[in-house]
Amino acid sequence: MLLDSLPRYSLGFLPTPLHSLPNLSARLGGPAIWVKRDDQTGLATGGNKTRKLEYLLGEAQTQGADTLITIGAPQSNHARQTAAAAARAALKSALVLRGAAPTDRTGNILIDDLIGAEVFWAGARADDEALNEVADELRARGQRPYVIPLGGSNPIGAVGYVTAMLELVEQAKAAGAYFDAIVFATSSGGTQSGLVLGDWLTSYADRIVGISVDHPAEALVPRLIDLAAATAERIGLSINFSADDFEVNDHYLGGGYAVMGEPEREAIQLCAQTEGLLVDPVYTGRAMAGLIDLIRTGEFKAGQTVLFWHTGGTPALFAYVKQLARPA
Ligand SMILES: Cc1ncc(COP(=O)(O)O)c(C=O)c1O
């Protein structure tokens, strides 16, 4: 297996902590809940992109790139972490963000600005069109951009969550913990594909449950199958995955991507008030709201142990001040 010989640039504070959430567990009265703290990976507050970027940056360096370029939503955690990774490696960063420039440059956009990323607004252009146009513009200027797709979710980035699964298995063994299910936010699929491939290697988990934040399962699962197979190939394995290998729960899409509703608000407040743990309005708050509902409806029960894999997103909290702050 090629896992140990792939180009990798060390960025993360790894292994990330693994610990129990006794107060939240007691409040919900169901299974014991633990958390894997990938919100603490480092890189301008941390998040799941750090692990992907270690491999993407490794590849960028072997190609002699001088600029990392990627695309995302205005409050993209992936874009912010890509800019931070570029800064660490003394490269430039270019971020193509969807839509038009907002008047309020807060949350992740503030951090993009602080890092000195060059921000391009995609306007009405489709993702790939905007990304390719900006990459061409950089090349025309003489820069050597390394293009990273949405969410860093290609077979190079997803390797980061294969090694994350190996990390978890070691840690769980050392802690004497076993998890009946691993629950996390899924969107562009690199995290889930990597975890499922890591599980194929370790035969560790019974259930790996991605709570979709934006896509219906029927749209996401085919992408996960392809990405996991391509990631396996990247590490020298030939594996045929099927839909049965991917559990995607799309019951918590609420009002749509980045629309914070009552379930996300409750999850954010409950985690903060019981554990001092911050989850975000877009990804981890939605996934935690899903987990809370699955506990309340008896899908996860007392006697079981469930791991919430925290994938970051904390800076987005500050873009939702109006919806989250106490009235003055
Ligand atoms: C905080 C956070 N959690 C989860 C995800 C979803 O991860 P993936 O895109 O690998 O499915 C993202 C993606 O942007 C994210 O920013």
Side-chain angles (χ1 to χ4, degrees):
M1 200 170 43
L2 302 172
L3 204 49
D4 296 329
S5 56
L6 293 174
R8 181 174 185 176
Y9 188 102
S10 173
L11 293 167
F13 300 140
L14 304 178
T16 54
L18 173 74
H19 63 88
S20 62
L21 297 173
N23 302 331
L24 181 64
S25 307
R27 180 72 76 88
L28 293 170
I33 306 170
W34 285 55
V35 63
K36 174 75 172 148
R37 298 296 300 272
D38 276 15
D39 57 323
Q40 304 290 315
T41 51
L43 274 192
T45 80
N48 61 343
K49 302 309 179 299
T50 304
R51 294 183 188 271
K52 300 180 184 183
L53 283 160
E54 289 203 343
Y55 291 96
L56 291 160
L57 189 49
E59 187 69 12
Q61 288 200 313
T62 60
Q63 293 184 13
D66 65 1
T67 307
L68 300 185
I69 170 173
T70 197
I71 184 149
Q75 281 297 330
S76 170
N77 300 298
H78 165 64
R80 177 250 312 163
Q81 292 215 278
T82 299
R88 280 277 298 277
L91 304 181
K92 297 189 189 71
S93 54
L95 308 178
V96 183
L97 303 181
R98 291 183 184 140
T103 44
D104 210 2
R105 294 179 83 94
T106 182
N108 281 296
I109 303 175
L110 172 64
I111 300 177
D112 300 340
D113 284 346
L114 294 175
I115 292 171
E118 191 173 4
V119 176
F120 298 82
W121 293 95
R125 290 174 292 177
D127 284 1
D128 284 351
E129 185 191 351
L131 187 60
N132 291 333
E133 278 181 19
V134 175
D136 284 344
E137 192 178 323
L138 300 181
R139 285 187 200 102
R141 276 188 208 164
Q143 284 173 241
R144 295 185 304 281
Y146 178 78
V147 181
I148 299 176
L150 186 74
S153 286
N154 63 11
I156 301 169
V159 170
Y161 271 86
V162 179
T163 44
M165 190 68 192
L166 306 185
E167 177 183 302
L168 172 73
V169 173
E170 284 303 305
Q171 253 179 333
K173 273 189 203 151
Y178 173 76
F179 303 111
D180 296 283
I182 299 173
V183 178
F184 56 96
T186 189
S187 175
S188 65
T191 303
Q192 189 159 3
S193 297
L195 289 178
V196 167
L197 177 53
D199 188 48
W200 189 93
L201 295 171
T202 55
S203 304
Y204 175 78
D206 281 342
R207 289 179 71 182
I208 296 179
V209 186
I211 305 284
S212 178
V213 303
D214 47 3
H215 305 294
E218 64 185 30
L220 186 53
V221 169
R223 282 190 242 162
L224 295 171
I225 293 172
D226 289 349
L227 182 53
T231 309
E233 215 169 286
R234 171 97 186 145
I235 60 171
L237 300 170
S238 173
I239 306 173
N240 281 325
F241 289 97
S242 75
D244 292 342
D245 296 313
F246 298 95
E247 186 171 348
V248 173
N249 185 322
D250 61 4
H251 296 158
Y252 304 102
L253 299 175
Y257 178 76
V259 179
M260 194 191 70
E262 215 31 60
E264 290 84 14
R265 183 198 311 277
E266 189 207 1
I268 291 167
Q269 290 175 344
L270 196 59
C271 289
Q273 290 168 14
T274 57
E275 299 283 354
L277 178 75
L278 298 177
V279 293
D280 80 280
V282 183
Y283 294 95
T284 48
R286 184 160 284 181
M288 180 55 85
L291 174 56
I292 291 168
D293 186 63
L294 291 169
I295 292 171
R296 286 182 178 149
T297 54
E299 177 74 18
F300 297 125
K301 300 180 183 59
Q304 293 184 308
T305 306
V306 176
L307 177 68
F308 181 72
W309 202 311
H310 195 320
T311 49
T314 317
L317 276 171
F318 303 98
Y320 288 75
V321 170
K322 286 196 188 82
Q323 294 100 308
L324 284 169
R326 271 188 205 149

